[in-house]
Amino acid sequence: KVERTDDKSYTIQPHFRKKFRPMQVEGIIQEALQEKLGKEKYNVDKAQKWTRELTEGIKTKLKDLNWDRYKYIVQVVIGEQRGEGIKMGTRSFWDSDTDNLAKATFSSDSMFAVAVVFGVYLY
């Protein structure tokens, strides 16, 4: 849906104050990770539930920001801390003027978590 601003023009980009802001989103992600996992020990049976709860909670907080016409893709990975490394990668095709991503990590003695949020503007 294209927003009509007057009889002859349409808005095809978000207003400056309604753009996806990675630093603000990183704060939301970090707070969610700490709140959900801060006092927990890794448990393989609970990791799937935590992942689902984190993704839904982060999406809800993002929607509360009222950034019109943004679609959010939230990915959370939780794993057991064994002293091994992990590498994650992603490729995207998007408009660098309107779309962006934010990420945050959590680490404790027993587990690690990585969360990534993609904000994609719908034209």
Side-chain angles (χ1 to χ4, degrees):
K1 179 179 171 185
V2 176
E3 295 176 33
R4 190 169 206 136
T5 58
D6 63 50
D7 289 343
K8 297 180 182 173
S9 65
Y10 292 92
T11 302
I12 60 169
Q13 289 192 334
H15 185 274
F16 176 74
R17 293 185 182 179
K18 298 281 187 170
K19 275 187 143 179
F20 186 90
R21 298 187 174 174
M23 294 295 287
Q24 186 175 359
V25 176
E26 284 177 12
I28 291 169
I29 300 168
Q30 195 65 54
E31 181 181 317
L33 291 172
Q34 189 61 43
E35 191 176 287
K36 175 63 72 181
L37 304 175
K39 297 179 182 175
E40 300 288 346
K41 298 285 184 198
Y42 181 77
N43 182 322
V44 69
D45 298 324
K46 293 182 181 179
Q48 183 178 5
K49 178 183 173 216
W50 293 335
T51 301
R52 192 175 321 111
E53 290 172 352
L54 280 164
T55 56
E56 293 304 320
I58 291 168
K59 274 198 285 191
T60 299
K61 289 180 182 181
L62 291 172
K63 288 178 183 178
D64 291 343
L65 295 173
N66 293 319
W67 291 338
D68 300 330
R69 297 169 57 191
Y70 269 95
K71 179 178 177 103
Y72 304 109
I73 300 121
V74 181
Q75 179 182 20
V76 176
V77 176
I78 298 174
E80 186 173 9
Q81 189 74 271
R82 293 180 165 176
E84 301 168 354
I86 182 171
K87 291 187 180 197
M88 293 179 65
T90 182
R91 291 174 61 158
S92 305
F93 181 73
W94 63 20
D95 183 346
S96 60
D97 289 336
T98 58
D99 306 336
N100 216 325
L101 69 92
K103 61 193 175 310
T105 61
F106 170 85
S107 184
S108 70
D109 291 341
S110 66
M111 75 174 122
F112 68 89
V114 178
V116 182
V117 173
F118 300 91
V120 181
Y121 188 73
L122 299 174
Y123 290 99

